[in-house]
Amino acid sequence: MNATVTTSTPPADAPAGRDRSRLWSALCAGLFIPAFLAAVVVVLSSERAGRCLTYGEGCHPALPGALFVWSAGVGVVACIAALATPVRRVRQVALAAQLLAECTALLVILSYA
């Protein structure tokens, strides 16, 4: 009748599981270039871009360079932070910032389609 409940909790400094944020960060950085090229192809295949290239009508100024450069730069810095830092939580936040910055850069390009 003497029932004791034992709970096995890991120590506070033990990892809760495998952290693959470095792998995901490198994978997202590697896939950014093909996604960039695909976005450019989509934009160039639009009717507005075709009319601009063929007839010179309806041409708009180039991409807002500052927004694209800032978002791509933030993505590079976040990727370096995710790959270099030893703290797990910082790597996860850097990976989230990298994904957000890369998506913003791609959306800037796709906004001209």
Side-chain angles (χ1 to χ4, degrees):
M1 297 281 184
N2 191 4
T4 59
V5 177
T6 59
T7 59
S8 83
T9 58
D13 59 346
R18 290 192 56 136
D19 180 33
R20 297 183 181 190
S21 56
R22 286 184 176 139
L23 172 70
W24 283 108
S25 178
L27 184 66
C28 291
L31 290 176
F32 179 70
I33 299 298
F36 170 79
L37 294 175
V40 169
V41 167
V42 167
V43 169
L44 289 177
S45 66
S46 69
E47 182 180 342
R48 182 170 45 165
R51 185 171 300 278
C52 177
L53 291 173
T54 306
Y55 304 112
E57 299 173 358
C59 295
H60 294 283
L63 291 173
L67 182 59
F68 177 77
V69 169
W70 273 98
S71 59
V74 168
V76 168
V77 170
C79 178
I80 291 171
L83 294 175
T85 187
V87 181
R88 179 180 186 183
R89 182 68 182 153
V90 174
R91 282 195 310 262
Q92 292 171 346
V93 170
L95 175 61
Q98 176 188 356
L99 288 173
L100 182 66
E102 288 178 357
C103 288
T104 303
L106 291 175
L107 287 175
V108 167
I109 296 169
L110 289 175
S111 68
Y112 278 81

